[in-house]
Amino acid sequence: MSLSTHVLDAAAGRPAAGVPVRLERRDSTIVFEGKTDADGRISGWNPEAGVYRLVFEVDGEFYPEVVVTFRITDDTAHYHVPLLLSPFAYSTYRGS
Protein backbone atom coordinates (compact mmCIF):
# COMPACT_ATOMS: atom_id res chain seq x y z
CA MET A 1 0.00 0.00 0.00
CA SER A 2 1.31 3.41 -0.82
CA LEU A 3 0.09 6.96 -0.40
CA SER A 4 0.98 10.11 -2.32
CA THR A 5 -0.28 13.67 -2.56
CA HIS A 6 0.10 16.58 -4.96
CA VAL A 7 -0.58 20.20 -4.05
CA LEU A 8 -1.36 22.67 -6.82
CA ASP A 9 -1.68 26.44 -6.46
CA ALA A 10 -4.54 27.35 -8.81
CA ALA A 11 -4.06 31.11 -8.34
CA ALA A 12 -0.39 30.94 -9.36
CA GLY A 13 -0.94 28.21 -11.94
CA ARG A 14 1.87 26.00 -10.63
CA PRO A 15 2.72 23.31 -8.06
CA ALA A 16 2.88 24.39 -4.42
CA ALA A 17 6.43 23.59 -3.33
CA GLY A 18 7.54 23.45 0.29
CA VAL A 19 4.11 22.89 1.85
CA PRO A 20 4.42 21.05 5.19
CA VAL A 21 2.16 17.99 5.21
CA ARG A 22 1.60 15.42 7.91
CA LEU A 23 -0.31 12.17 7.91
CA GLU A 24 -2.15 11.47 11.15
CA ARG A 25 -4.22 8.57 12.42
CA ARG A 26 -7.73 9.33 13.59
CA ASP A 27 -6.41 9.69 17.16
CA SER A 28 -3.99 12.47 15.98
CA THR A 29 -0.90 10.25 16.17
CA ILE A 30 1.52 11.49 13.51
CA VAL A 31 2.47 8.70 11.11
CA PHE A 32 4.56 10.61 8.54
CA GLU A 33 5.66 14.21 7.99
CA GLY A 34 7.27 15.99 5.07
CA LYS A 35 7.20 18.94 2.68
CA THR A 36 6.09 18.97 -0.92
CA ASP A 37 8.93 18.88 -3.43
CA ALA A 38 9.50 21.36 -6.29
CA ASP A 39 6.67 19.67 -8.22
CA GLY A 40 4.30 19.95 -5.22
CA ARG A 41 4.42 16.21 -4.52
CA ILE A 42 5.03 13.82 -1.65
CA SER A 43 5.12 10.09 -2.27
CA GLY A 44 6.42 6.90 -0.74
CA TRP A 45 4.37 6.91 2.44
CA ASN A 46 3.19 3.40 3.36
CA PRO A 47 0.46 3.43 6.02
CA GLU A 48 -1.65 0.40 6.82
CA ALA A 49 -5.45 0.19 6.56
CA GLY A 50 -7.39 2.66 8.70
CA VAL A 51 -8.79 6.18 8.89
CA TYR A 52 -6.27 8.99 8.38
CA ARG A 53 -6.00 12.75 8.03
CA LEU A 54 -3.68 14.61 5.72
CA VAL A 55 -2.97 18.00 7.29
CA PHE A 56 -1.67 20.58 4.83
CA GLU A 57 -0.14 23.67 6.49
CA VAL A 58 -0.98 26.03 3.62
CA ASP A 59 -0.78 29.28 5.64
CA GLY A 60 -3.21 30.90 3.22
CA GLU A 61 -4.98 34.22 3.49
CA PHE A 62 -8.22 32.55 4.62
CA TYR A 63 -7.32 28.88 5.25
CA PRO A 64 -4.27 28.40 7.49
CA GLU A 65 -4.54 24.65 7.06
CA VAL A 66 -6.52 22.13 5.08
CA VAL A 67 -7.43 18.77 6.61
CA VAL A 68 -8.54 15.87 4.43
CA THR A 69 -9.87 12.80 6.23
CA PHE A 70 -10.05 9.52 4.32
CA ARG A 71 -10.17 5.76 4.77
CA ILE A 72 -7.64 3.21 3.50
CA THR A 73 -9.29 -0.17 3.03
CA ASP A 74 -7.05 -2.06 0.60
CA ASP A 75 -3.52 -2.85 1.81
CA THR A 76 -2.42 -3.57 -1.77
CA ALA A 77 -3.72 -0.40 -3.46
CA HIS A 78 -2.12 2.96 -4.19
CA TYR A 79 -3.94 5.97 -2.75
CA HIS A 80 -3.38 9.44 -4.21
CA VAL A 81 -4.94 12.52 -2.61
CA PRO A 82 -4.43 15.72 -4.66
CA LEU A 83 -5.20 19.16 -3.26
CA LEU A 84 -6.03 22.14 -5.49
CA LEU A 85 -5.68 25.49 -3.68
CA SER A 86 -6.90 29.00 -4.35
CA PRO A 87 -7.10 31.95 -1.91
CA PHE A 88 -10.69 31.30 -0.80
CA ALA A 89 -11.37 27.70 -1.88
CA TYR A 90 -9.83 24.27 -2.16
CA SER A 91 -10.82 20.94 -3.64
CA THR A 92 -9.62 17.37 -3.36
CA TYR A 93 -10.50 13.96 -4.73
CA ARG A 94 -9.17 10.42 -4.81
CA GLY A 95 -6.68 10.40 -7.64
CA SER A 96 -4.85 7.55 -9.29
Side-chain angles (χ1 to χ4, degrees):
M1 160 17 321
S2 64
L3 173 67
S4 61
T5 188
H6 189 192
V7 183
L8 299 165
D9 182 336
R14 63 177 180 256
V19 175
V21 181
R22 69 182 179 273
L23 178 66
E24 299 178 349
R25 287 193 173 91
R26 183 181 259 177
D27 67 2
S28 298
T29 301
I30 297 172
V31 179
F32 296 104
E33 293 181 279
K35 289 186 178 183
T36 57
D37 64 16
D39 194 35
R41 296 178 183 272
I42 294 178
S43 61
W45 289 352
N46 298 298
E48 44 192 55
V51 176
Y52 293 91
R53 288 188 289 262
L54 276 171
V55 181
F56 300 87
E57 299 291 337
V58 296
D59 198 26
E61 183 177 339
F62 186 70
Y63 297 108
E65 71 178 17
V66 173
V67 179
V68 178
T69 305
F70 60 99
R71 183 183 315 271
I72 293 174
T73 57
D74 183 350
D75 285 340
T76 64
H78 173 70
Y79 289 79
H80 183 65
V81 183
L83 178 65
L84 182 62
L85 296 172
S86 66
F88 297 102
Y90 63 86
S91 65
T92 187
Y93 57 94
R94 181 174 177 188
S96 57

